[in-house]
Amino acid sequence: MPQPYSARSRAIEPFHVMALLARANELQAAGHDVIHLEIGEPDFTTAEPIIKAGQAALAAGKTRYTAARGLPELREAISGFYAQRYGVNVDPGRILITPGGSGALLLAASLLVDPGKHWLLADPGYPCNRHFLRLVEGAAQLVPVGPDVRYQLTADLVAQHWNEDSVGALVASPANPTGTLLHRDELAALSASLKARDGHLVVDEIYHGLTYGTDASSVLEVDNDAFVLNSFSKYFGMTGWRLGWLVAPEAAVGDLEKLAQNLYISAPSMAQSAALACFEPQTLEILEQRRAEFARRRDFLLPALRELGFTIAVEPEGAFYLYADISAFGGDAFAFCHHFLETEHVAFTPGLDFGRYRAGHHVRFAYTQSLPRLQEAVERIGRGLRSWQG
C-alpha cells in the first residue's frame, strides 16, 4: 500500500459552501431558477477599460514572465494609488505583485511563520487564512469575537490571548464574513500591542474601496512596518485574472522576492498589463458607480432580513456580506441552508465555513446579485421560513 497523503493536506478542511454550490448548480441544470447569495464574487464583469487593456497586451505579445516582484509600472501605479487615496508614501520597491490575494497571503505566511508558531485570527473569519498557516506548518490561534467588538480583534484581545508561540496577528478590514471595519485608532492600538510583543501585524485590505458611508483607513497610515494584503478581485472586479499585491517593510522584500521566484515565478503578465487601467479616471468612475450599487443592495437587504427575524447585530460598513444569526429559527446552519436551497432555490453560506465560535448559529448572505434578484430572494426566504418553522 502507498504511504498516506500528508497530514497537512488531511488537516485542511473543504469549504462547506462548495457542497451547497454543487447542489445549486445541479438544480440550475435541471431548470430551476437559483438565486446565488453564497459566493463572494461581484456579479459585474470586469470594467471595459481593463478588458481593453488586457486585449491590447495580448495583441502586443505581452505574454512572457515578468520579474518576480511584478511590472515596475504597475508597482508605481499602486504606489500612486496609496498616495492619492490614503495620503501615504509607499515606495514601489516595497510592493510585490502576486497571483491573487492568496499569493500575497502565501508569501506572508511563508516568511513570518515557523513550524508550531501562531498568528492570532478573529473567529469568525475567512477560512483560507487558517488553512494557509497550516500549510506552512504553523497554526491559527482563533480568538472568539462577537458583536461587542464588531467581530474584530482588539488590542485587549491580543494581550489576553498572546502566548509563547504567538508571532503575529492577521486582521481584515473590511472583514469577511461580517463586513466590519477597523478604524484608524483601532489599527494604531493593534499596531502598538503587536510591537510591544515583537509580533508582526498583517492586515487584509482586500475589500478596500467597497465601503459605505465611510472610507477605510489603511494600516499604513499608522504603521509603516505592517504587512498589507490586497487584491484586484473585489473593488477592481478582476476575480478571474488572479492578481493581487503585498506591501512589506523594506527589509523583508529580498526574502519575499526569493520566495516568489520559487513559489510561482511571477504573477500573470497579461493580468498585470490589464491592471494598469484600474487607476485611470474613467475606470475609477465605473468602480465608484458599482460601489454605490452595492450600497443600495446593502441598504435594502439588511432591513429586509431583520424584518424577517434574522439578527444582524452590527451594521456592516464594507465588503458585500451580511452575517446573520439564525438562533431565532432554531436548528443548525447547514440544515437551514439546505432547506432554503431545496425548497426555495436560494443559496447562502453556513457559518461553519468561517470558524467555530457560534458558527452553527450563523449564515452569510452575499449581496452580489441585482436589486430585483435580492427582492425576489427575500420573498422566497420569507416563504421558506414558514415551511421551516411549520
Side-chain angles (χ1 to χ4, degrees):
M1 292 290 290
Q3 292 295 313
Y5 298 132
S6 68
R8 76 176 66 85
S9 68
R10 297 194 301 273
I12 292 174
E13 305 165 16
F15 283 143
H16 291 90
V17 72
M18 297 314 293
L20 287 168
L21 179 60
R23 178 57 181 153
N25 290 336
E26 287 178 3
L27 290 167
Q28 201 159 291
H32 296 287
D33 176 30
V34 178
I35 301 178
H36 292 277
L37 307 182
E38 79 277 35
I39 300 299
E41 181 173 29
D43 56 323
F44 303 108
T45 58
T46 301
E48 187 64 23
I50 302 171
I51 292 175
K52 287 182 177 178
Q55 291 170 332
L58 287 170
K62 295 182 179 179
T63 59
R64 296 179 177 273
Y65 296 133
T66 70
R69 293 193 200 182
L71 287 175
E73 54 266 44
L74 181 56
R75 293 189 284 112
E76 290 168 5
I78 293 170
S79 173
F81 188 67
Y82 276 103
Q84 180 269 325
R85 182 150 292 195
Y86 305 105
V88 296
N89 179 28
V90 179
D91 187 328
R94 295 173 51 203
I95 300 169
L96 293 95
I97 309 301
T98 60
S102 297
L105 177 58
L106 177 60
L107 288 184
S110 300
L111 179 78
L112 301 176
V113 183
D114 277 322
K117 297 302 181 181
H118 302 162
W119 279 352
L120 274 64
L121 272 65
D123 180 2
Y126 181 56
C128 287
N129 293 339
R130 63 181 188 270
H131 296 158
F132 268 77
L133 293 174
R134 178 63 186 87
L135 188 68
V136 298
E137 303 296 339
Q141 193 172 335
L142 297 180
V143 178
V145 292
D148 58 319
V149 290
R150 298 183 357 272
Y151 301 102
Q152 291 281 3
L153 279 182
T154 66
D156 287 343
L157 287 171
V158 169
Q160 291 172 33
H161 291 270
W162 193 265
N163 63 40
E164 61 183 9
D165 291 322
S166 305
V167 294
L170 169 61
V171 296
S173 176
N176 178 7
T178 61
T180 61
L181 295 181
L182 284 162
H183 299 286
R184 186 186 176 109
D185 59 333
E186 295 166 321
L187 289 166
L190 277 168
S191 172
S193 184
L194 268 296
K195 285 179 183 293
R197 294 165 174 81
D198 294 323
H200 299 286
L201 177 58
V202 184
V203 183
D204 170 347
E205 297 185 354
I206 285 171
Y207 290 94
H208 269 224
L210 293 175
T211 56
Y212 317 111
T214 187
D215 289 324
S217 293
S218 174
V219 68
L220 297 174
E221 297 173 38
V222 297
D223 184 353
N224 204 41
D225 295 321
F227 291 78
V228 177
L229 315 175
N230 212 319
S231 172
F232 287 93
S233 290
K234 308 303 182 180
Y235 176 65
F236 295 105
M238 295 180 67
T239 49
W241 299 77
R242 305 314 305 135
L243 201 66
W245 74 84
L246 171 66
V247 181
E250 184 178 355
V253 171
D255 284 329
L256 288 167
E257 183 175 20
K258 176 180 62 179
L259 287 167
Q261 291 167 343
N262 282 274
L263 291 172
Y264 54 79
I265 301 178
S266 67
S269 54
M270 300 79 70
Q272 292 187 63
S273 294
L276 288 167
C278 288
F279 307 104
E280 295 175 358
Q282 61 176 331
T283 307
L284 292 171
E285 183 179 350
I286 294 168
L287 301 180
E288 286 300 304
Q289 291 169 358
R290 293 178 176 185
R291 169 162 55 165
E293 175 60 21
F294 279 123
R296 284 189 286 271
R297 295 175 185 184
R298 182 201 65 162
D299 292 345
F300 163 74
L301 191 58
L302 176 62
L305 290 175
R306 282 173 168 169
E307 190 172 338
L308 289 175
F310 292 88
T311 299
I312 304 172
V314 180
E315 181 172 307
E317 296 176 286
F320 34 64
Y321 306 116
L322 297 174
Y323 195 59
D325 190 329
I326 61 168
S327 298
F329 308 121
D332 68 88
F334 200 71
F336 192 77
C337 289
H338 266 285
H339 169 78
F340 285 89
L341 179 58
E342 296 293 341
T343 63
E344 300 297 336
H345 306 139
V346 180
F348 44 92
T349 308
L352 302 171
D353 269 341
F354 305 108
R356 301 184 180 91
Y357 180 59
R358 301 197 71 244
H361 298 273
H362 287 82
V363 297
R364 187 195 73 176
F365 297 91
Y367 44 93
T368 51
Q369 296 289 309
S370 68
L371 198 53
R373 292 292 279 170
L374 293 178
Q375 292 166 339
E376 172 66 20
V378 167
E379 290 182 17
R380 295 189 195 181
I381 292 168
R383 187 168 61 230
L385 283 172
R386 292 190 290 274
S387 60
W388 169 261
Q389 295 172 318

